[in-house]
């Protein structure tokens, strides 16, 4: 079994589509082994997205991710990282395949509903950024 990390972003929580995202996750065969609703501070968002620090969108991304509540998730299944990336869809909802979360629920390239680990290395950083071992079941 492999684990990956996911965030239901502020735009989705604000629009009250979190339940739809969770249903799509479970229907795709993922086990939710960790889940909590939190409010990131700007500093916490900057720490989480530090790999993008030099990118021009870094400030806007951190402001967006700290503007309201998010739902953080640890997901588990065979091929979890690749399967989660496929279920999320392309970053820009306009380019995402039908049936993906971003195509069905995303608003724009900036407000695209979900985040997900892109590699085993990022999952190894992202999961413990938000969850202790005691919180993963």
């Amino acid at each position: 079994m492999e684990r990956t990390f996911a965030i239901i972003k502020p735009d989705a929580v604000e629009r009250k589509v979190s339940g739809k995202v969770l249903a799509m996750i479970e229907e795709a065969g993922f086990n939710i082994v960790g889940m909590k609703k939190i409010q990131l501070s700007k500093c916490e968002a900057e720490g989480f997205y530090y790999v993008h620090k030099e990118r021009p969108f870094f400030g806007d991304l951190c402001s967006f991710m700290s503007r309201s509540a998010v739902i953080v998730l640890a997901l588990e299944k065979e091929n979890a990282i690749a399967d989660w990336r496929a279920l999320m869809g392309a970053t820009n909802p306009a380019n995402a395949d039908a049936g993906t979360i971003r195509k069905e629920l995303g608003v724009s390239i900036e407000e695209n509903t979900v985040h997900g680990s892109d590699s085993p290395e990022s999952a190894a950083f992202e999961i413990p950024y938000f969850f202790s071992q005691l919180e993963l079941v």
Side-chain angles (χ1 to χ4, degrees):
M1 293 297 257
E2 181 178 62
R3 287 187 175 176
T4 192
F5 177 74
I7 300 176
I8 302 175
K9 293 182 177 181
D11 63 294
V13 175
E14 292 164 359
R15 292 181 290 119
K16 301 185 186 321
V17 297
S18 302
K20 291 179 182 178
V21 174
L22 292 169
M24 292 174 81
I25 289 169
E26 291 188 328
E27 287 166 10
F30 288 92
N31 293 316
I32 299 171
V33 296
M35 178 170 66
K36 56 186 165 182
K37 187 175 186 178
I38 61 171
Q39 170 83 47
L40 289 171
S41 69
K42 182 105 183 259
C43 184
E44 289 165 334
E46 290 169 349
F48 181 72
Y49 285 108
Y50 80 97
V51 297
H52 300 300
K53 187 176 182 180
E54 303 304 321
R55 309 284 297 269
F57 59 81
F58 179 73
D60 289 341
L61 174 62
C62 294
S63 293
F64 165 62
M65 290 302 292
S66 60
R67 83 177 183 199
S68 62
V70 298
I71 297 172
V72 294
L73 303 145
L75 307 175
E76 184 177 78
K77 74 178 283 204
E78 294 292 331
N79 302 306
I81 294 168
D83 288 358
W84 175 236
R85 302 293 297 174
L87 181 59
M88 285 193 311
T91 302
N92 185 344
N95 300 332
D97 291 337
T100 63
I101 293 169
R102 289 176 171 159
K103 184 65 165 188
E104 303 304 319
L105 301 172
V107 174
S108 67
I109 194 167
E110 294 85 14
E111 297 193 3
N112 59 14
T113 307
V114 288
H115 162 90
S117 299
D118 61 4
S119 68
E121 295 77 22
S122 64
F125 167 77
E126 293 176 341
I127 293 169
Y129 193 86
F130 291 102
F131 295 100
S132 74
Q133 282 299 313
L134 293 173
E135 295 174 302
L136 300 174
V137 295

